[in-house]
Amino acid sequence: MSLRNLAKQYPVLTAFTCAALQFALTFLILMAGKKFAPAEAYGKVKLLAFSSTVIFPLLLTHVFGMWREIGFGLDKLKPSPFFLACLLPVLMFASMGVRLPEHGGVRGDLLIQLFNAFGEELLFRGVIFVILLSLPQWKAILINGVLFGSMHLMRGYMDGNWGHAFVWAFMSAMAGMMFAAARYRVSSLWLLVFLHMILNLSSMYSNIETVAGPDVKRMMDWATKAVELGLGLYVMWQGSRRQALAA
């Protein structure tokens, strides 16, 4: 039995395995770097771990033979109304203006966020999205979001603050559900990469904390997550409703 047929027969198990393998690979690189690399070289170890989040999803795309289904084509860059609605959190973060770094570094941030968004979207809204297509829409969106959030537990190992890591994973799961819901409404993976990237940048450069203080910034963080969750739940509800009507 080919891996693609195995994925069709056991979509949930395959999706969890793909996410777990990426998590394990990144974790092992970081752990080996902490143990064997000198402290001054740990930045390169982090770069290697970061690179794995792009290389491994590309390898999975090839292994499963998904090049045509992932959404790499540039002929389908047409945002849907729902996709445009997913930009609302970006507008919320930018509602009090943006604050650029004092010493530059914008181009570096853009490059990092582009690669970060590409790797995560290729794995979750590319490979795992295609694997879960046989499931009811609500279930696929929920699983996609939970797996995406779980990947962010890596912060606990990197920062040593597991409490913050669990909160971050929970918040990331809400964003993941919105991204997965948006993927059902657009044919291009590049639109999801753009959405992911601009959302991260708008949060990084938001001027809310400077203008209104950290408490208001925390409130805005949770408000944007509520919007993301609401958008994800809307598509889940619509999918369940269509399935019920068809039945």
Side-chain angles (χ1 to χ4, degrees):
M1 181 183 292
S2 69
L3 285 175
R4 188 59 188 275
N5 289 333
L6 188 67
K8 289 180 179 178
Q9 190 169 351
Y10 305 103
V12 177
L13 177 61
T14 306
F16 271 84
T17 301
C18 290
L21 286 173
Q22 177 66 80
F23 187 95
L25 177 61
T26 308
F27 178 78
L28 287 172
I29 292 172
L30 291 172
M31 187 173 67
K34 273 192 174 182
K35 188 171 183 179
F36 300 111
E40 61 272 16
Y42 195 60
K44 294 181 180 179
V45 173
K46 284 186 175 181
L47 181 61
L48 178 61
F50 180 70
S51 300
S52 76
T53 64
V54 174
I55 296 170
F56 185 67
L58 284 171
L59 178 63
L60 287 176
T61 302
H62 182 72
V63 167
F64 285 112
M66 294 179 176
W67 293 104
R68 292 180 178 272
E69 300 156 274
I70 290 294
F72 283 141
L74 298 178
D75 56 333
K76 297 178 179 178
L77 291 172
K78 184 177 180 181
S80 66
F82 181 83
F83 176 84
L84 296 177
C86 291
L87 293 173
L88 179 57
V90 176
L91 298 178
M92 293 169 69
F93 279 126
S95 59
M96 296 185 187
V98 295
R99 174 186 50 82
L100 298 180
E102 294 180 4
H103 304 291
V106 175
R107 281 189 293 182
D109 287 341
L110 286 171
L111 188 61
I112 289 171
Q113 290 304 321
L114 173 61
F115 276 93
N116 175 63
F118 175 74
E120 291 187 344
E121 290 307 310
L122 178 57
L123 177 60
F124 290 97
R125 265 64 65 177
V127 175
I128 290 177
F129 174 82
V130 174
I131 289 172
L132 296 177
L133 275 176
S134 60
L135 298 181
Q137 200 172 91
W138 70 267
K139 186 181 291 187
I141 291 173
L142 180 62
I143 292 173
N144 202 302
V146 169
L147 290 177
F148 181 69
S150 299
M151 285 293 293
H152 291 77
L153 289 172
M154 190 70 65
R155 282 176 172 260
Y157 179 75
M158 295 177 66
D159 303 335
N161 188 341
W162 284 99
H164 181 262
F166 276 101
V167 172
W168 187 254
F170 178 69
M171 297 175 78
S172 298
M174 298 183 198
M177 284 191 277
M178 182 188 75
F179 292 146
R183 185 67 178 86
Y184 274 101
R185 300 301 181 88
V186 295
S187 301
S188 173
L189 184 71
W190 297 114
L191 288 174
L192 271 297
V193 173
F194 170 76
L195 175 62
H196 192 147
M197 180 176 120
I198 197 172
L199 182 57
N200 285 354
L201 289 169
S202 66
S203 177
M204 287 170 55
Y205 292 152
S206 175
N207 202 38
I208 293 173
E209 186 169 355
T210 303
V211 173
D215 290 339
V216 175
K217 177 60 167 60
R218 278 192 292 272
M219 288 173 60
M220 184 61 76
D221 287 340
W222 284 106
T224 56
K225 295 308 167 189
V227 170
E228 292 165 3
L229 178 61
L231 289 166
L233 290 174
Y234 172 73
V235 174
M236 292 165 71
W237 170 74
Q238 277 205 327
S240 298
R241 187 184 178 194
R242 279 197 299 269
Q243 187 178 13
L245 289 173

